[in-house]
Amino acid sequence: GESVGLHLPTLSVQEGDNSIINCAYSNSASDYFIWYKQESGKGPQFIIDIRSNMDKRQGQRVTVLLNKTVKHLSLQIAATQPGDSAVYFCAEKMDSSYKLIFGSGTRLLVRP
Amino acid sequence: DTAVSQTPKYLVTQMGNDKSIKCEQNLGHDTMYWYKQDSKKFLKIMFSYNNKELIINETVPNRFSPKSPDKAHLNLHINSLELGDSAVYFCASSQGPTTDTQYFGPGTRLTVL
């Protein structure tokens, strides 16, 4: 069946350190992967995405890495700030499907 | 300006009641979605409409009925509410049905007593 999962349900980091949030996906046919950030009481907010023909994509302070060999996706946040505290979701999609399949989420806590 | 908006933000009701949640997007998108987020934060697609036509209809009780009067609006009506319907319901939209990025509304927290 379809599933996207995360290894760590909660990640605690010191402010200023780099954070790495991991995600394992099971559908090797997925063409597209996306990371969302969900702050308390709000809806998921787009952070960064990557297509399956790439292995790395960088944004502002964030980098997504895709390893299709082991079906692994990671989100790296540089110089983590208190405002980065949230639940982070990875999601996957096939181009032939309308559905975005979400993982179970990782809570990131930033210690001051 | 809010891109995807939902009303109400909070909804508390008794078991057996019928309620509706409304969603509007001003992004000019063709496709809209309803997701349910449970207490463990798991997000699951329920329905999707593209240009007022139903394209995703997941295995949800038929007490849930989406309605799209136009492509900017997607409402969710729930009949005979049950305790297990308590969750946060999110509306989302995307440019098209295969367009990757979906934009989410702020959510509606439904509590069934």
Side-chain angles (χ1 to χ4, degrees):
Chain A
E2 300 167 320
S3 68
V4 179
L6 298 177
H7 297 303
L8 299 172
T10 303
L11 177 65
S12 180
V13 299
Q14 191 73 37
E15 181 179 354
D17 286 353
N18 297 335
S19 303
I20 300 176
I21 301 172
N22 296 304
C23 176
Y25 64 93
S26 61
N27 188 354
S28 56
S30 288
D31 300 295
Y32 174 76
F33 304 87
I34 186 168
W35 282 99
Y36 281 94
K37 171 187 180 183
Q38 186 178 18
E39 296 176 271
S40 181
K42 296 184 179 179
Q45 177 188 4
F46 170 84
I47 304 174
I48 191 166
D49 57 3
I50 189 167
R51 291 204 60 86
S52 59
N53 60 353
M54 302 170 69
D55 52 24
K56 181 179 180 178
R57 191 159 189 229
Q58 285 185 289
Q60 190 175 13
R61 279 201 311 119
V62 294
T63 301
V64 56
L65 298 177
L66 174 63
N67 185 333
K68 293 182 289 294
T69 304
V70 295
K71 291 185 284 187
H72 184 265
L73 189 70
S74 69
L75 176 70
Q76 299 178 359
I77 305 173
T80 313
Q81 301 169 0
D84 295 327
S85 292
V87 176
Y88 289 81
F89 294 95
C90 65
E92 62 174 335
K93 186 178 174 298
M94 291 190 295
D95 286 345
S96 59
S97 171
Y98 296 144
K99 295 183 199 175
L100 192 59
I101 308 297
F102 279 82
S104 53
T106 293
R107 184 177 300 280
L108 177 65
L109 299 174
V110 181
R111 304 189 303 272
Chain B
D1 286 343
T2 305
V4 182
S5 59
Q6 295 177 227
T7 54
K9 175 80 172 165
Y10 300 96
L11 185 53
V12 182
T13 189
Q14 299 286 331
M15 266 196 323
N17 284 350
D18 304 337
K19 290 293 178 186
S20 291
I21 307 171
K22 295 188 175 184
C23 178
E24 177 181 0
Q25 54 94 5
N26 62 7
L27 296 167
H29 289 169
D30 286 342
T31 312
M32 296 183 72
Y33 309 82
W34 277 112
Y35 286 84
K36 180 180 180 180
Q37 186 172 50
D38 63 23
S39 58
K40 296 179 181 176
K41 296 286 191 184
F42 189 70
L43 269 163
K44 191 165 191 314
I45 183 72
M46 299 173 68
F47 302 103
S48 178
Y49 271 75
N50 182 57
N51 253 326
K52 303 193 294 177
E53 188 177 329
L54 185 65
I55 58 170
I56 296 176
N57 187 359
E58 287 295 278
T59 309
V60 299
N62 57 15
R63 298 181 293 104
F64 289 78
S65 54
K67 281 190 172 53
S68 183
D70 55 63
K71 70 176 190 178
H73 295 85
L74 180 61
N75 304 324
L76 183 65
H77 188 75
I78 316 170
N79 287 327
S80 303
L81 278 155
E82 299 177 0
L83 293 177
D85 297 333
S86 295
V88 182
Y89 292 85
F90 287 100
C91 177
S93 73
S94 65
Q95 197 164 5
T98 55
T99 305
D100 304 322
T101 307
Q102 295 180 16
Y103 297 87
F104 284 78
T108 295
R109 180 175 292 278
L110 172 64
T111 303
V112 183
L113 303 174

